Amino acid sequence: MKVPRYLVPNDYMADPSVHVFNGKLFIYPSHDWESGIPENDNGDHFNMKDYHVYSMDNVENGNITDHGVVLRTEDIPWAGRQLWDCDVAYRNRKYYMYFPLKDKNDIFRIGVAISDKPEGPFVPNPDPIKGSYSIDPAVWKENDEYYMYFGGIWGGQLQRYRNNKALESAIFPEGDELALCPKVARLQENMFEFAEEPRDIFILDENGIPLKAGDTERRFFEASWMHKYQEKYYFSYSTGDTHLICYAIGDNPYGPFTYQGVILTPVVGWTTHHAIVEFNKKWYLFHHDCVPSEGKTWLRSLKVVELEYEENGKIKTIEGRI
Ligand code: FUB
């Protein structure tokens, strides 16, 4: 399947996280809707209030099952607003959904909800993960350890923190200053807490120098994802205001990662977001765009396309506007 295909034509779904559980592909998207909130740089117009889960036996034939609503803000005791990009991990016969949500003080935290089945429904813990902040959790399993990648600038609030502590007010590095780093933290065995202080992830240029804040076509903005190919760790992310999905390669889950190139050129819409997964011996890029909503940035539609590697492990760039 070399041409991207829309997966859920009857609803607006975005920010896919995708995993293979029990031999099926499970998709965990954000659920966009028309809330009427005006667009701003804070992302208030992304006012999502529930999640659905989707599954597929076969990506090529496009058949997809909607498992319905699996978690809502009204079920989450600490909820303020805005359920953004979630992810799900499996451990010891339980499925853990990690979701970013603003608390009652309008601060993004990361919550956990549990299910016995990959399709949910998910029951939320009464409190968010201690010490969690910002958005876009993505969980990677390595042997018996689980690592959560997270972070996002602007509406994702990462600029309000340094060394995992809240600042009095946001500070954006500029120009030649080091770009804000995405974070990673190993999870405790119970999957409910961080097992360590979140660490910075360094994305290096071709000379081994961490990317600068002014390097907006390459520096991290949001939407972390991790996958492994030929024993290398591929950390991929969105550059936000320059609208690219890029990737960087490293030798272990903590990095550092060296910048490699663009996976997806800008799509129609403002945000871009993705998941990369191998299923039935093919690699796929799941992503979203705003073509069906005629460019309304807050009404995004889920897409999938095959992803290919060069022999040297480089990912072939995919055009976002086809
Ligand atoms: O859906 C809200 C936000 O938009 C996500 O958390 C970001 O990754 C961007 O896609």
Side-chain angles (χ1 to χ4, degrees):
M1 192 214 337
K2 303 284 191 289
V3 177
R5 177 194 297 140
Y6 288 100
L7 287 170
V8 185
N10 58 342
D11 208 343
Y12 294 113
M13 298 285 161
D15 303 335
S17 291
V18 182
H19 295 279
V20 180
F21 294 131
N22 305 330
K24 272 193 192 185
L25 202 79
F26 282 86
I27 308 172
Y28 301 95
S30 305
H31 185 195
D32 287 354
W33 67 294
E34 183 57 90
S35 69
I37 296 190
E39 205 170 348
N40 60 23
D41 283 351
N42 215 22
D44 287 347
H45 48 303
F46 298 111
N47 191 29
M48 296 82 97
K49 54 189 172 59
D50 62 27
Y51 294 116
H52 283 232
V53 173
Y54 292 86
S55 66
M56 302 179 89
D57 292 316
N58 180 331
V59 180
E60 299 297 317
N61 69 16
N63 292 342
I64 187 161
T65 303
D66 179 0
H67 296 279
V69 175
V70 299
L71 182 65
R72 303 168 218 263
T73 37
E74 65 212 51
D75 303 329
I76 303 166
W78 54 275
R81 58 179 180 142
Q82 295 183 290
L83 278 173
W84 285 11
D85 161 52
C86 69
D87 196 11
V88 169
Y90 170 76
R91 185 175 208 167
N92 289 343
R93 297 195 293 280
K94 297 273 183 212
Y95 295 83
Y96 297 87
M97 174 179 270
Y98 297 94
F99 57 89
L101 174 68
K102 283 182 181 161
D103 65 14
K104 295 185 195 303
N105 296 316
D106 236 22
I107 304 296
F108 268 117
R109 307 278 176 210
I110 297 173
V112 193
I114 302 104
S115 178
D116 294 331
K117 294 177 288 179
E119 66 268 30
F122 290 86
V123 178
N125 276 356
D127 296 298
I129 297 179
K130 265 191 237 97
S132 67
Y133 57 95
S134 199
I135 59 164
D136 289 359
V139 179
W140 170 252
K141 176 178 188 282
E142 179 76 19
N143 303 320
D144 272 340
E145 301 289 0
Y146 291 74
Y147 300 85
M148 182 187 290
Y149 298 86
F150 65 93
I153 61 178
W154 293 25
Q157 303 182 343
L158 196 57
Q159 66 279 2
R160 298 187 185 185
Y161 298 84
R162 288 295 187 280
N163 302 319
N164 302 316
K165 302 268 179 311
L167 300 170
E168 275 187 24
S169 55
I171 302 176
F172 281 103
E174 287 175 6
D176 277 347
E177 292 174 326
L178 176 66
L180 288 171
C181 294
K183 309 290 170 196
V184 61
R186 198 164 46 79
L187 294 172
Q188 282 187 12
E189 214 176 314
N190 67 12
M191 301 295 271
F192 294 156
E193 302 294 345
F194 293 147
E196 60 186 355
E197 285 272 302
R199 307 181 191 194
D200 282 337
I201 291 192
F202 291 101
I203 303 172
L204 311 178
D205 68 12
E206 58 286 2
N207 300 312
I209 311 288
L211 295 183
K212 309 279 181 10
D215 191 352
T216 57
E217 302 249 322
R218 297 195 296 180
R219 63 91 174 90
F220 172 82
F221 189 104
E222 62 187 3
S224 300
W225 188 254
M226 173 59 73
H227 77 279
K228 207 169 169 182
Y229 181 74
Q230 293 183 342
E231 295 311 308
K232 292 283 184 194
Y233 296 82
Y234 285 59
F235 177 74
S236 45
Y237 56 95
S238 160
T239 61
D241 53 345
T242 52
H243 317 288
L244 301 165
I245 297 288
C246 294
Y247 72 111
I249 294 181
D251 292 324
N252 72 79
Y254 289 115
F257 299 94
T258 302
Y259 179 87
Q260 301 293 317
V262 172
I263 298 174
L264 182 68
T265 64
V267 296
V268 171
W270 198 97
T271 68
T272 186
H273 198 113
H274 73 300
I276 295 169
V277 67
E278 187 181 24
F279 187 55
N280 290 343
K281 301 206 168 82
K282 284 189 177 179
W283 285 91
Y284 294 100
L285 178 80
F286 288 78
H287 57 296
H288 67 224
D289 74 17
C290 299
V291 171
S293 71
E294 298 179 343
K296 291 195 180 74
T297 56
W298 60 99
L299 296 178
R300 300 162 295 177
S301 293
L302 210 56
K303 292 176 92 173
V304 63
V305 67
E306 199 178 327
L307 176 138
E308 295 173 298
Y309 297 87
E310 310 276 5
E311 270 181 23
N312 60 7
K314 288 260 185 188
I315 294 177
K316 293 188 185 173
T317 302
I318 295 168
E319 288 301 319
R321 294 194 176 219
I322 51 163

